[in-house]
Amino acid sequence: MAEQQAALTAQTWTHRWTFVLAAAGSAIGLGNLWKFPYITGVNGGGAFVLVYLICIAVIGLPIMMAETALGRHGRHSPIVSMRELARESGVSKWWGAVGWLGALTGFLILSFYSVVAGWAIDYTLQMFSGTFQGMSAAEIGSNFDSMLANPVQLTLWHSIFMLLTGLVIARGVHKGLESGVRVMMPALMALLLVVLIYSATSSGHFMEGLSFLFSFHPEDLSWDAVLAAMGHAFFTLSLGMCAIMAYGAYMPKKASIARTASSVVLLDTAIALMAGMAIFPLVFANGMEPGAGPGLLFVTLTSAFVSLPGGQMIGGLFFLLVVLAALSSAISLVEPTVAWVVERFSIGRAAATVAYCILVWLFGLGTVFSFNEWSGESAQLFGMTFFEFIDYLTANITLPLGGLLIAVFAGWTMKRSHIYKELNIPLGAFNLWRAMCRVVAPICVLTIFYFSTIEEPLMELLGITGK
Ligand code: PHE
């Protein structure tokens, strides 16, 4: 035990900024650049965005603080930490199930995350090799569709992305992550700004894009969309599956949890909104459907890059940064599980990583086939393709459920004095945070669960209402 403790202490990040960088690396990824714009489009725009922003502030920030605090107090991999914290608080060791649920969720998310990151690898190479030169938006759209139709191509990129993830994990998260994220984040921001300025000045539809994103039409909002907005708040902040808890375990005691969590939340939200503001004007300029689905980022930005001078180089660089942002998120999907396997069994980190990555890779083939062989109705689960089902299950159900349990544990179960010491904020702020975790966040999550999964489908079943 003493040895284990020493090993863990040696792993504490020395620099206060490292936690912010690692957590931002986890949070900022495909969720911001690919998923946020596309599900905003599918769910009708402004009203969805508003609910998402409210969820970020009311549920996301308090739970981000809770997860970090639990991780730092527990100082182990999430599964062990949760069990130890439960013992310390005198409650059932079954709270360890939160760690298990997180491990399962991470596995499922990574299986499709890797496939989508693979699309970005494909686009990076196509951009750099000048494939899109002179293509119209419609041609770029059918280029995307033909990529999806080809399972061999998708499997190749999926394999390469899993290999990259495995290599970083096997070497240890600490080595490359800090310097990697430190360069990647400003570069990503800068390129996003380039696209944003292009959208604002050249698309001719900037205001239309903004009004789609920010004008609030409550009549557009179904409970299903509210659930998707809440689920996305968890997904984009990497909350509810113990990724942030695993990183919290390496955080130095002196660093301020409130300050670091707020920085991560702000940065993540800023990047998502920038991506949305860059993309929607281009959607309208190209006469595309906002609800076009998962190809939105790829098709709109590619058409913009093609019409910029030197745009294919900038575009190649942009998609490369998307791949890197996805990589730093993927690492955090794996880390809690591999950390646990290494801690629990006498298996080396490399062996654990290889076994884990092979399993995720295999499962990911289900997502690969969702876009071609299994895209038909006969292969659907609850009216969704395999990919849609795994995405729905994780973002809309297991992440909010995990987050709910974490909030309840931090707010109700853990000794007040312990969590107070961990957070180390003025009493008024602490009480506010605790009320959010104890009452506000759980009520929001449960209400949204109730209306979207019980009430609304029931009403529809009875034919009472459409919305
Ligand atoms: N937050 C990441 C993104 O937005 C995805 C992620 C979810 C990472 C959950 C870790 C845990 O892309």
Side-chain angles (χ1 to χ4, degrees):
M1 190 67 196
E3 248 170 52
Q4 211 174 41
Q5 198 57 48
L8 278 164
T9 319
Q11 280 198 354
T12 303
W13 284 327
T14 43
H15 206 279
R16 184 164 82 77
W17 274 98
T18 310
F19 176 80
V20 180
L21 287 171
S26 165
I28 296 167
L30 297 174
N32 310 59
L33 303 165
W34 160 74
K35 196 172 171 192
F36 172 69
Y38 116 65
I39 60 171
T40 297
V42 169
N43 289 293
F48 174 85
V49 174
L50 186 67
V51 177
Y52 156 78
L53 291 174
I54 293 173
C55 288
I56 292 277
V58 172
I59 309 178
L61 181 61
I63 295 186
M64 171 80 81
M65 290 168 63
E67 254 200 72
T68 318
L70 293 188
R72 188 166 74 178
H73 196 72
R75 278 275 182 252
H76 287 275
S77 67
I79 293 175
V80 177
S81 278
M82 281 308 296
R83 240 186 356 226
E84 294 284 314
L85 291 173
R87 197 167 51 197
E88 185 189 83
S89 318
V91 291
S92 160
K93 68 176 192 319
W94 280 101
W95 277 99
V98 174
W100 284 105
L101 182 70
L104 175 71
T105 307
F107 179 93
L108 295 175
I109 294 179
L110 186 58
S111 76
F112 72 78
Y113 207 81
S114 167
V115 176
V116 178
W119 305 348
I121 300 184
D122 187 308
Y123 267 59
T124 307
L125 300 177
Q126 289 206 66
M127 275 282 172
F128 279 135
S129 62
T131 315
F132 298 112
Q133 195 66 50
M135 277 194 192
S136 67
E139 285 166 332
I140 291 170
S142 45
N143 172 291
F144 183 80
D145 293 339
S146 57
M147 175 183 79
L148 290 193
N150 185 342
V152 178
Q153 193 178 344
L154 295 189
T155 305
L156 175 71
W157 303 129
H158 164 50
S159 316
I160 290 179
F161 187 80
M162 277 315 301
L163 200 70
L164 285 175
T165 307
L167 280 176
V168 179
I169 294 281
R171 290 187 58 223
V173 166
H174 304 270
K175 283 184 189 146
L177 196 66
E178 183 175 359
S179 43
V181 173
R182 188 172 279 173
V183 179
M184 181 193 85
M185 216 63 85
L188 184 66
M189 281 265 202
L191 280 194
L192 214 47
L193 209 63
V194 171
V195 190
L196 186 59
I197 292 173
Y198 172 83
S199 267
T201 54
S202 317
S203 69
H205 291 74
F206 194 57
M207 291 326 278
E208 202 179 334
L210 289 193
S211 117
F212 180 76
L213 270 176
F214 298 115
S215 58
F216 179 66
H217 299 291
E219 68 279 9
D220 294 344
L221 210 57
S222 62
W223 277 106
D224 229 18
V226 174
L227 177 67
M230 173 182 76
H232 188 65
F234 281 96
F235 184 90
T236 191
L237 294 175
S238 306
L239 292 178
M241 62 136 294
C242 306
I244 296 296
M245 197 186 289
Y247 282 174
Y250 308 131
M251 190 178 183
K253 276 280 174 218
K254 290 189 302 287
S256 152
I257 289 181
R259 209 161 337 128
T260 46
S262 323
S263 321
V264 174
V265 168
L266 280 178
L267 212 59
D268 187 84
T269 310
I271 296 224
L273 293 180
M274 275 170 81
M277 290 192 292
I279 287 174
F280 283 104
L282 298 170
V283 169
F284 297 117
N286 290 321
M288 282 175 70
E289 261 301 307
L296 200 69
L297 164 81
F298 294 89
V299 179
T300 51
L301 288 200
T302 304
S303 345
F305 287 128
V306 169
S307 51
L308 268 175
Q312 306 239 35
M313 285 309 284
I314 306 181
L317 215 57
F318 179 82
F319 282 114
L320 181 64
L321 288 169
V322 175
V323 176
L324 294 178
L327 191 61
S328 63
S329 301
I331 291 167
S332 72
L333 287 162
V334 184
E335 179 59 20
T337 312
V338 169
W340 176 74
V341 174
V342 173
E343 194 174 295
R344 174 77 178 68
F345 306 100
S346 41
I347 302 180
R349 202 175 162 87
T353 308
V354 171
Y356 184 85
C357 288
I358 290 178
L359 289 177
V360 177
W361 179 84
L362 269 176
F363 203 76
L365 295 179
T367 291
V368 165
F369 294 136
S370 300
F371 294 98
N372 35 71
E373 314 294 330
W374 297 352
S375 61
E377 255 174 43
S378 57
Q380 287 189 344
L381 296 157
F382 305 102
M384 294 177 255
T385 62
F386 185 84
F387 154 70
E388 287 165 347
F389 177 70
I390 299 295
D391 180 29
Y392 187 92
L393 177 68
T394 50
N396 294 0
I397 299 179
T398 61
L399 287 181
L401 184 63
L404 173 70
L405 293 172
I406 288 166
V408 167
F409 189 87
W412 291 95
T413 309
M414 215 172 139
K415 276 209 188 80
R416 188 179 181 279
S417 57
H418 286 170
I419 195 96
Y420 185 48
K421 218 171 106 199
E422 221 35 82
L423 287 177
N424 195 16
I425 43 176
L427 189 61
F430 176 76
N431 284 335
L432 178 65
W433 167 83
R434 202 154 178 251
M436 297 300 235
C437 282
R438 292 186 130 201
V439 185
V440 180
I443 288 186
C444 289
V445 174
L446 290 175
T447 310
I448 297 174
F449 269 164
Y450 173 76
F451 281 104
S452 57
T453 58
I454 301 173
E455 170 96 3
E456 196 169 68
L458 197 67
M459 289 300 186
E460 259 166 44
L461 207 68
L462 300 175
I464 296 180
T465 171
K467 285 262 164 184

